Amino acid sequence: LRCIVERNGYSMRWERNQSVIGQSTTGNRNLTLIISNVTPSNEGKYECIAWRNDCTVKSSVFLNVEVPPRIEEYCPSRTVHCSKDSLELTCKASGYPLLQVTIKRKGFLSSVTGIHTGLAVYRGSVTQIGNSVFVCNAENRQGAATKACHVTTFSAPRFVNNFLARFVKQGRQVHLWCHLFGKWLLPITNVIWYEGSIEKKEWNNKQTVSWIATLADHLKEYRCKVTNLCGSSIRRFSLYVA
């Protein structure tokens, strides 16, 4: 910060908050205040005071310190959700002047933007199963900062077919299976089998059951209910014995 007066013979000093800073000088026309490694703490009003005999002149300047953006808080590196769960991501950033902060999902056009607040909040449901990336971008005149949030979305148990008709000859083995279809499935926590409306407890937690068919099994209905942390799904079987 440079202060220059019209004539020689003045004593000069710089003040901030009525405290002298830097070096004073006498008899010169100019005085320069050098602030090394400027930080936000240096922001404020600076006043140059020059005096000679009974004459005092002052001039002031306000120093604005601009700070590049920095993302202070975003989601963990990876979050796990179930399909159709609600998702909330908050991105907080610092910097000066005030920031524009945006959260955008990769591969999608829509985004959420907070202007002049240093904050953006994304709220929505997660319907796409698999890996998604949500990118927070904070920017001001000094630059930009970016951080990615990886969200993995799992599904409830799924079957290729939820209903199967099984045809078998008397005396042959019957096989019923409750195997799931697709990726992004959390581990199974429970498998329950039913014959009609009666629970077959001896079959529980088995994904495949088998026995020798008899005519008594003809037209019976069987169900298996598979559960994981994201929900449940049921497969039905109709058995025909000839």
Side-chain angles (χ1 to χ4, degrees):
L1 303 177
R2 179 170 292 178
C3 183
I4 302 175
V5 293
E6 292 182 347
R7 296 181 179 85
N8 291 329
Y10 280 86
S11 298
M12 303 175 67
R13 69 174 183 267
W14 279 98
E15 288 188 1
R16 183 187 179 197
N17 299 328
Q18 297 182 339
S19 298
V20 178
I21 56 174
Q23 298 292 323
S24 300
T25 184
T26 300
N28 294 323
R29 290 185 57 204
N30 65 78
L31 177 63
T32 299
L33 173 66
I34 298 175
I35 306 172
S36 301
N37 300 318
V38 174
T39 68
S41 64
N42 298 121
E43 185 168 289
K45 182 180 178 181
Y46 292 79
E47 193 169 45
C48 176
I49 301 174
W51 70 96
R52 185 178 62 181
N53 300 326
D54 294 332
C55 177
T56 300
V57 292
K58 300 179 180 181
S59 180
S60 62
V61 61
F62 194 90
L63 176 64
N64 287 306
V65 179
E66 295 193 350
V67 181
R70 176 180 176 182
I71 295 175
E72 303 288 351
E73 180 182 324
Y74 196 30
C75 75
S77 60
R78 183 171 296 274
T79 58
V80 176
H81 291 264
C82 295
S83 177
K84 299 183 181 178
D85 276 359
S86 60
L87 174 67
E88 181 171 308
L89 301 175
T90 300
C91 186
K92 294 180 181 179
S94 61
Y96 185 85
L98 292 173
L99 302 167
Q100 173 175 297
V101 182
T102 301
I103 299 177
K104 189 176 188 303
R105 186 176 180 180
K106 274 193 173 181
F108 290 75
L109 295 177
S110 60
S111 61
V112 176
T113 301
I115 299 177
H116 305 321
T117 62
L119 177 71
V121 180
Y122 173 92
R123 295 184 180 93
S125 59
V126 185
T127 56
Q128 180 176 318
I129 295 170
N131 288 323
S132 302
V133 180
F134 293 80
V135 177
C136 177
N137 183 70
E139 57 185 48
N140 65 8
R141 290 196 297 260
Q142 293 297 319
T146 300
K147 187 174 181 181
C149 177
H150 297 268
V151 177
T152 301
T153 306
F154 291 95
S155 75
R158 293 179 290 160
F159 298 105
V160 177
N161 298 308
N162 287 330
F163 175 80
L164 289 175
R166 301 291 292 144
F167 298 87
V168 65
K169 288 185 178 181
Q170 180 183 358
R172 296 288 184 90
Q173 252 193 354
V174 181
H175 294 281
L176 303 182
W177 59 94
C178 229
H179 296 291
L180 301 175
F181 163 77
K183 297 170 62 180
W184 311 112
L185 298 173
L186 289 172
I188 293 171
T189 57
N190 200 11
V191 180
I192 301 176
W193 286 88
Y194 298 89
E195 181 181 271
S197 60
I198 300 173
E199 183 178 342
K200 296 279 288 184
K201 292 185 178 181
E202 66 272 22
W203 292 357
N204 285 350
N205 294 318
K206 296 179 181 179
Q207 288 185 263
T208 302
V209 296
S210 60
W211 72 96
I212 303 298
T214 66
L215 288 176
D217 297 318
H218 184 54
L219 296 181
K220 281 188 175 180
E221 296 275 340
Y222 295 89
R223 289 176 295 143
C224 68
K225 180 181 179 182
V226 182
T227 303
N228 67 13
L229 292 177
C230 286
S232 300
S233 188
I234 295 175
R235 172 176 265 185
R236 293 177 172 84
F237 303 88
S238 285
L239 184 60
Y240 299 89
V241 180

